[in-house]
Amino acid sequence: MDFTAYITLRNNIDELSERLETQHKKHMKCKAGCDLCCMDYSIFPVEFYSIVKALKDRKDKPNFNTNKDESSCIFLNDHKCEIYAERPIICRTHGLPLLYMNEENGWELSACELNFTEFDMEEFSEENTFPQDKFNSKLYLLNKEFIAKNQLSDYSELDLIPIKELAKHI
């Protein structure tokens, strides 16, 4: 399975995220130990299998935290992510000001409740927010192609896999 296109997209997201983190650093409270957003998200097969491959290739295998409640991420141990370098895209953008289209076809802004507490929301623009829909669309298309190319008939283009399922594949 080839993950080149996914890794390229992930790297582009990381570059933009780093730029936005730098731009908003005085309003960002995210730091080591902050894990409010660490949940058992569900991800597309292209991300899931990319993470499986990366974790299988690692010498140090991640520890699973099975003492968590159902909604918490099994890779969160002592407030640290066991798969930080391989984490899904959703985890790479948390905390940032996210711009997306809501159900009424209007633009909506989302940010962690700990961040931007003393920030005028009117100051957000396309230049200083993360365009979530743009990257989600790219990820969707990559996933669709990945499923077809690898003949993964168990999945449709809309199927998502809970992160906790990674434990069964490592």
Side-chain angles (χ1 to χ4, degrees):
M1 292 184 188
D2 181 22
F3 299 103
T4 305
Y6 169 72
I7 300 299
T8 299
L9 177 64
R10 195 178 73 185
N11 289 342
N12 291 340
I13 288 169
D14 284 348
E15 288 173 19
L16 177 56
S17 295
E18 287 173 24
R19 184 177 59 75
L20 290 171
E21 285 172 16
T22 299
Q23 188 175 3
H24 294 297
K25 68 181 172 186
K26 71 179 188 177
H27 298 286
M28 300 281 293
K29 306 296 183 225
C30 301
K31 61 184 181 305
C34 181
D35 56 23
L36 185 64
C37 61
C38 299
M39 306 179 83
D40 182 38
Y41 294 105
S42 292
I43 57 179
F44 282 125
V46 67
E47 284 195 280
F48 185 87
Y49 287 104
S50 174
I51 294 169
V52 167
K53 181 185 181 318
L55 294 178
K56 282 183 175 180
D57 291 347
R58 272 178 39 175
K59 290 179 182 152
D60 61 322
K61 301 300 179 201
N63 294 312
F64 307 116
N65 189 338
T66 55
N67 298 329
K68 295 274 186 183
D69 63 59
E70 281 288 312
S71 65
S72 296
C73 183
I74 64 166
F75 295 108
L76 184 65
N77 286 309
D78 296 322
H79 303 284
K80 292 181 184 168
C81 179
E82 293 275 336
I83 63 166
Y84 190 80
E86 297 88 9
R87 71 197 185 283
I89 288 173
I90 191 168
C91 303
R92 294 169 184 273
T93 61
H94 270 283
L96 296 173
L98 307 173
L99 190 62
Y100 64 96
M101 184 75 65
N102 64 24
E103 292 177 6
E104 290 82 37
N105 291 325
W107 289 107
E108 193 162 320
L109 183 68
S110 172
C112 175
E113 63 194 52
L114 302 177
N115 296 336
F116 305 101
T117 55
E118 296 179 23
F119 187 84
D120 182 0
M121 293 298 177
E122 297 297 319
E123 292 182 35
F124 282 122
S125 67
E126 287 184 39
E127 288 76 38
N128 66 2
T129 56
F130 187 87
Q132 188 173 15
D133 288 344
K134 171 184 169 183
F135 286 104
N136 282 348
S137 295
K138 289 180 180 188
L139 179 59
Y140 171 82
L141 293 172
L142 278 177
N143 182 66
K144 184 177 177 180
E145 182 180 328
F146 175 80
I147 289 170
K149 191 180 288 184
N150 292 288
Q151 299 175 342
L152 298 175
S153 58
D154 291 349
Y155 301 105
S156 79
E157 60 197 45
L158 299 175
D159 285 338
L160 300 171
I161 308 168
I163 290 173
K164 66 181 165 209
E165 294 295 315
L166 287 165
K168 297 176 183 174
H169 294 267
I170 300 172

